[in-house]
Amino acid sequence: MKKWQKAFEIATLKGCDAYIISNPINIRYLSGYRGEASIIVLTENSFELFTDFRCLEDAERESVKDCHVYEVPGNVSLIDFILSRLKGKGIKKVAFESRHVTYEFFEKLKTVVDPFPISNGVESLRKVKTEDEIEKIRKAGLLVVEGYEWLAENLKAGVSERHVEIQLEAFLKTLGAEERAFPFIIAAGENGAKPHARPSLRVIREGDCVVCDYGVMYDGYNVDVTRTFLLGRVSSKVMNVYERVRDVQEQVLIAIKPGVEVRKLHELSLKLLGKWGEFFKHSLGHGVGLEVHEAPRLSISSDEVLEEGMVITVEPGVYLRGEFGVRIEDTVVVRKDGVEILTPIPKEGVLCL
């Protein structure tokens, strides 16, 4: 069964005759088209993408063969054109992506059809990756490996966090990265205790613990990695926390396999962190694919169970406010007998001198 057919099956189980896909990420997943101003409509026997003249050529070129691309006339809105076609076909009950439409969009739907909200429909299909998808993430992973080597050479005392961020992004794009996966985190010293710190003009100093969280997109697919660099001589406390986080991450990776409840992994990380566990307050990880943050979410409150082919991050951390932070993260594939690491970067505790 093809992707679009699996998506339509989700709608049919709810008694719907059509499924409107409006999330650009899901449109790309189903059709291959990565542009804007478009909507997909799925029915039992049709897989149709609607767009305007600005995007028509790209949509025709990028879309898979069984996706029929239609140009919407300039004198009518995209949704009005689609609703007119649905009405002409006598379609009544229509599923839509409830998390990705405006209230105005919903109100228009109600004037013509019986709309049925579906949350995380296509997203549920995206959780388990094909080998083709994994290969794209693997290639993105090779780029961040080179990014690590650049950091090991260029992350030095006397430069600002912002300088490192700008130069690292430029370097990765020259290697072939389509785009950065998210705004990079380069956080030195006390800034490392902020999990989502924004790079600042704070100058990196000898003895700093520097959290570097970065990732890239390759052919639409993302990868996410974090390494914490130790510059020069660091305190025994920093080294103790670093080694604990590193060892915890390694132990959690060993525990990953199909059928494992993600909350059990989070509980394991907290147990292994010991006294440092109270300073680990975010989720253990998340899914990665067309979006850098997608299902499943590896949190203590999640009821998700790992499946073979899922691509996830594992990123325990310890954050001591006003002092420093340590996080180590890899993107991995859940395989039958364990994990395949897609970000094969050293984590012995790099000392940049």
Side-chain angles (χ1 to χ4, degrees), residues 53-303:
F53 78 97
R54 297 171 301 168
C55 308
L56 183 65
E57 187 175 340
D58 286 341
E60 290 176 335
R61 183 182 68 255
E62 295 173 357
S63 295
V64 294
K65 290 182 180 180
D66 52 350
C67 178
H68 301 282
V69 178
Y70 295 91
E71 178 182 357
V72 176
N75 62 346
V76 62
S77 72
L78 185 59
I79 184 58
D80 286 336
F81 184 78
I82 289 170
L83 288 175
S84 176
R85 287 177 63 89
L86 292 174
K87 184 177 181 180
K89 293 180 178 181
I91 291 175
K92 297 295 184 181
K93 191 171 182 179
V94 177
F96 69 96
E97 298 186 295
S98 58
R99 298 177 62 195
H100 302 286
V101 301
T102 63
Y103 180 74
E104 180 182 7
F105 186 103
F106 174 68
E107 286 293 300
K108 279 201 172 185
L109 284 180
K110 289 199 302 182
T111 64
V112 179
V113 299
D114 175 19
F116 185 89
I118 291 181
S119 176
N120 296 319
V122 177
E123 288 86 348
S124 67
L125 301 178
R126 288 166 40 198
K127 286 193 290 187
V128 175
K129 272 59 177 180
T130 64
E131 287 302 318
D132 179 63
E133 290 177 294
I134 292 170
E135 178 60 22
K136 292 174 182 178
I137 302 172
R138 185 182 291 114
K139 288 180 178 178
L142 294 177
L143 294 177
V144 298
V145 170
E146 296 199 51
Y148 165 83
E149 294 169 354
W150 184 93
L151 282 167
E153 182 177 344
N154 292 279
L155 190 67
K156 299 183 183 300
V159 300
S160 70
E161 298 169 341
R162 181 74 171 140
H163 175 83
V164 174
E165 175 209 17
I166 293 169
Q167 297 300 316
L168 175 60
E169 181 177 345
F171 173 74
L172 290 167
K173 286 181 176 177
T174 64
L175 294 180
E178 181 179 335
E179 188 54 84
R180 67 181 185 180
F182 52 89
F184 294 170
I185 297 170
I186 309 294
E190 69 285 352
N191 288 341
K194 296 180 281 188
H196 281 184
R198 295 186 296 270
S200 70
L201 296 179
R202 198 269 201 196
V203 174
I204 297 168
R205 299 186 290 265
E206 186 173 346
D208 272 342
C209 185
V210 186
V211 177
C212 299
D213 188 343
Y214 63 103
V216 298
M217 178 188 293
Y218 181 89
D219 198 9
Y221 283 80
N222 297 281
V223 76
D224 190 359
V225 69
T226 305
R227 288 296 183 268
T228 299
F229 290 80
L230 311 176
L231 272 70
R233 292 183 179 277
V234 298
S235 69
S236 59
K237 183 178 183 179
V238 168
M239 187 59 71
N240 179 272
V241 171
Y242 182 90
E243 291 176 347
R244 180 63 62 91
V245 172
R246 179 200 61 198
D247 293 347
V248 167
Q249 201 239 16
E250 289 289 343
Q251 290 299 310
V252 172
L253 289 174
I254 292 171
I256 291 174
K257 60 174 71 73
V260 171
E261 298 175 42
V262 299
R263 70 169 179 270
K264 297 292 186 182
L265 295 174
H266 194 115
E267 290 169 356
L268 174 63
S269 67
L270 289 172
K271 178 182 178 181
L272 293 173
L273 281 171
K275 68 178 182 179
W276 302 115
E278 66 176 292
F279 303 104
F280 174 40
K281 298 182 180 181
H282 58 68
S283 63
L284 178 64
H286 52 84
V288 181
L290 286 170
E291 293 179 285
V292 74
H293 291 95
E294 57 182 45
R297 182 167 177 258
L298 277 65
S299 83
I300 203 163
S301 61
S302 174
D303 59 0

